[in-house]
Amino acid sequence: MRIYLIGFMGCGKTTIGKRLAARCGFSFLDTDELFAAVHQCSINDYFSLYTEENFRREETKILHLTQQMDDAVVALGGGTPCFGDNMQWILSHGIAVYIKMPPMSLYSRLANSKKERPLLSLPNQDIKDTIETLLSQREPVYDMAHITVPGIDFNLEDLLVKLNAYMGSEGTNK
């Protein structure tokens, strides 16, 4: 079984993913980290050398590598589900969990983050607009997830209950 964590950058996919994986006895993978390891450069450096379209194609290849993993929690880049048919692929290869956060909460986290993010390398006011615009474009895809949980006041126990209920309703483990 694979659990794919999706949501906007800064929503907590990596932090939640590590906690969930430890609790379930699963391995944890962050596709941004795998991307950097495979390409031997940071995502920011990749963006400075290539187009976003090139990045998304390579990111899709990384996503498909996760099919080889069993009993894994996979934190995906914020745009991964929104490129090509990636969301359909995610839905058919595991359980998709959307970590949902409102734009202003994302802005607060991202404005204070030390991590550089190529799509947000703008002055602060522009970051707010960019977050709102990107989130409004991406949310219809994120909303296709099997399970949605709040990123604010996240509760691991609630997620585990939802995962168990989903797996029980499916009758099989994906």
Side-chain angles (χ1 to χ4, degrees):
M1 175 176 51
R2 282 171 299 284
I3 301 168
Y4 291 100
L5 301 181
I6 66 171
F8 203 80
M9 62 186 99
C11 72
K13 296 181 296 281
T14 299
T15 302
I16 290 169
K18 288 177 181 177
R19 288 178 58 203
L20 178 61
R23 181 67 183 274
C24 295
F26 286 8
S27 58
F28 173 76
L29 174 69
D30 184 314
T31 58
D32 286 350
E33 291 176 9
L34 182 57
F35 184 98
V38 167
H39 290 280
Q40 299 184 333
C41 71
S42 71
I43 290 176
N44 285 339
D45 289 344
Y46 194 91
F47 260 80
S48 69
L49 296 170
Y50 305 101
T51 66
E52 182 179 356
E53 181 79 14
N54 285 350
F55 170 75
R56 296 296 177 200
R57 278 195 299 271
E58 292 301 310
E59 184 181 52
T60 297
K61 292 177 188 175
I62 298 295
L63 171 64
H64 290 184
L65 288 176
T66 68
Q67 183 176 1
Q68 301 166 16
M69 300 180 71
D70 289 321
D71 296 333
V73 175
V74 182
L76 299 176
T80 306
C82 305
F83 182 77
D85 67 350
N86 285 353
M87 189 60 178
Q88 286 69 34
W89 190 93
I90 292 162
L91 293 169
S92 65
H93 287 84
I95 301 171
V97 176
Y98 171 29
I99 302 168
K100 185 174 185 146
M101 286 188 69
M104 285 310 296
S105 297
L106 290 166
Y107 171 73
S108 293
R109 284 191 183 182
L110 294 168
N112 297 313
S113 174
K114 294 180 181 6
K115 183 177 178 183
E116 286 187 42
R117 300 174 189 267
L119 294 180
L120 294 181
S121 53
L122 307 163
N124 282 349
Q125 184 56 45
D126 292 339
I127 290 174
K128 285 181 187 177
D129 294 341
T130 301
I131 290 169
E132 288 175 357
T133 300
L134 284 174
L135 187 58
S136 70
Q137 292 168 352
R138 293 176 177 183
E139 199 148 41
V141 175
Y142 295 161
D143 283 337
M144 295 168 66
H146 299 110
I147 297 169
T148 298
V149 295
I152 296 175
D153 298 327
F154 171 76
N155 184 308
L156 183 59
E157 297 305 317
D158 288 347
L159 175 55
L160 291 168
V161 167
K162 288 181 179 187
L163 284 166
N164 285 331
Y166 176 78
M167 290 187 305
S169 71
E170 286 295 294
T172 61
N173 290 346
K174 287 188 176 185

